[in-house]
Amino acid sequence: MRADPRALRFSAAITTAILALVLVTGSAWPTAAQVLLAAQALVFALGAAGRSPYAVLFKALVKSAPRETEDARPPRFAQGVGLGFAVVGLVGYLAGITPLALVATAAALLAAFLNAAFGFCLGCETYLLIRRLLPAAKLEVPQ
Amino acid sequence: MTGLWVALATLALGSVIGVVRLRRDGKVRDTARADDRLATADLGADLGERATLVQFSTAFCQPCRATRRVLADVSGLVPGVAHVEIDAESRLDLVRRLDIMRTPTVLILDSAGNIVKKAAGQPRKADVLAALAGAVSHISSQNADEM
């Protein structure tokens, strides 16, 4: 499967805004933060499945074809990593463990921001590190 | 309030990391482990006559394809230079031994298989060519020592 790199950057920019909003609203308006983070977790899950709603939105807004496409597997894997952090952050907010909520959400925000602003896929790069630590964690790679 | 500061600190940290990465990504540097040698048995492929470009890749790696193109170009351009691509996942032994943290990582070997240069991230073609010139002169200076 191929992905439009412009849609990936666009998705990362929206994700950055949502996660920053989660952090900002977290203390004063925790319900809003929890709902937003739960929604973002769902988006991560859909993105990992190759059905990112943000990419669908981009496709609806921008009609032109991309000049080049790229392999969709690395960003999909990274969405899965994002899902992991969002779930941990959500548990932190729901259980009232504020440091856990802040650290996990901030980690996801950092990765989304690096992707949006610099085109670096931090989530992708964790793959080899995870494999180094856990050789059994090999993922079947669907083409 | 804490959340706001965490968000701002994260974005500031991200900016610093991003700028540092932009400047250092793919830079070809002298490797600290110049004594480590790779043989045909390690690579599962023959060494190049003059030099070998060893690329570590994974499936979840965006810049690996572009790196492959750059290195294939260089090995086509410079006679005696081989390009060997290694799937990092199936060679975790080498990954640990050579301390590979990211993909793509490119190692430049001289004709004897000594690791003389290393680049983490996608290297530029001009930098690889310049580093190869260094790798080849490394060989000639060794030969001069032996004479």
Side-chain angles (χ1 to χ4, degrees), chain B residues 31-79:
Chain B
T31 162
R33 45 176 75 234
D35 52 325
D36 208 342
R37 271 178 67 166
L38 289 179
T40 301
D42 296 314
L43 295 177
D46 285 332
L47 289 171
E49 219 172 284
R50 292 167 72 197
T52 309
L53 305 169
V54 181
Q55 174 184 348
F56 285 86
S57 302
T58 54
F60 299 111
C61 164
Q62 278 172 317
C64 283
R65 226 162 56 103
T67 302
R68 182 180 311 142
R69 230 176 302 156
V70 167
L71 298 187
D73 251 21
V74 170
S75 69
L77 212 64
V78 188

Side-chain angles (χ1 to χ4, degrees), chain A residues 2 8 16 20 23-24 27-28 68-71 73-75 77 102 106-107 109-110 113-114 118-122 124-125 127-129 131-133 135 138-141, chain B residues 1-4 6-8 10-19 21-22 25 58-63 65 69 87-90 92 95-96 98-103:
Chain A
R2 309 293 299 170
L8 295 175
T16 302
L23 284 173
V24 171
S27 36
E68 52 183 323
T69 58
E70 58 177 57
D71 193 339
R73 290 172 295 166
F77 173 75
L102 291 178
L109 172 63
L110 181 70
F113 174 72
L114 279 173
F118 298 96
F120 285 136
C121 181
L122 202 59
C124 302
E125 295 202 352
Y127 183 64
L128 186 60
L129 297 177
R131 283 299 316 272
R132 276 182 66 151
L133 295 170
K138 185 170 175 60
L139 285 185
E140 285 307 315
V141 183
Chain B
M1 274 311 276
T2 323
L4 175 65
V6 171
L8 290 176
T10 304
L11 295 180
L13 177 69
S15 304
V16 172
I17 293 175
V19 169
R21 278 292 287 272
L22 275 185
D25 204 50
T58 54
F60 299 111
C61 164
Q62 278 172 317
R65 226 162 56 103
R69 230 176 302 156
D87 175 26
E89 293 188 66
S90 56
L92 288 174
V95 166
R96 288 203 194 89
L98 303 170
D99 206 25
I100 309 285
M101 304 298 283
R102 306 171 46 194
T103 54

Side-chain angles (χ1 to χ4, degrees), chain A residues 63-120:
Chain A
K63 296 289 178 199
S64 66
R67 224 175 320 142
E68 52 183 323
T69 58
E70 58 177 57
D71 193 339
R73 290 172 295 166
R76 279 178 59 183
F77 173 75
Q79 292 285 299
V81 176
L83 173 63
F85 280 103
V87 167
V88 172
L90 199 55
V91 168
Y93 277 114
L94 290 173
I97 312 169
T98 309
L100 181 69
L102 291 178
V103 168
T105 310
L109 172 63
L110 181 70
F113 174 72
L114 279 173
N115 203 344
F118 298 96
F120 285 136

Side-chain angles (χ1 to χ4, degrees), chain A residues 25-46:
Chain A
T25 55
S27 36
W29 198 10
T31 315
Q34 287 161 14
V35 170
L36 272 176
L37 190 53
Q40 181 57 50
L42 182 64
V43 169
F44 276 138
L46 288 166

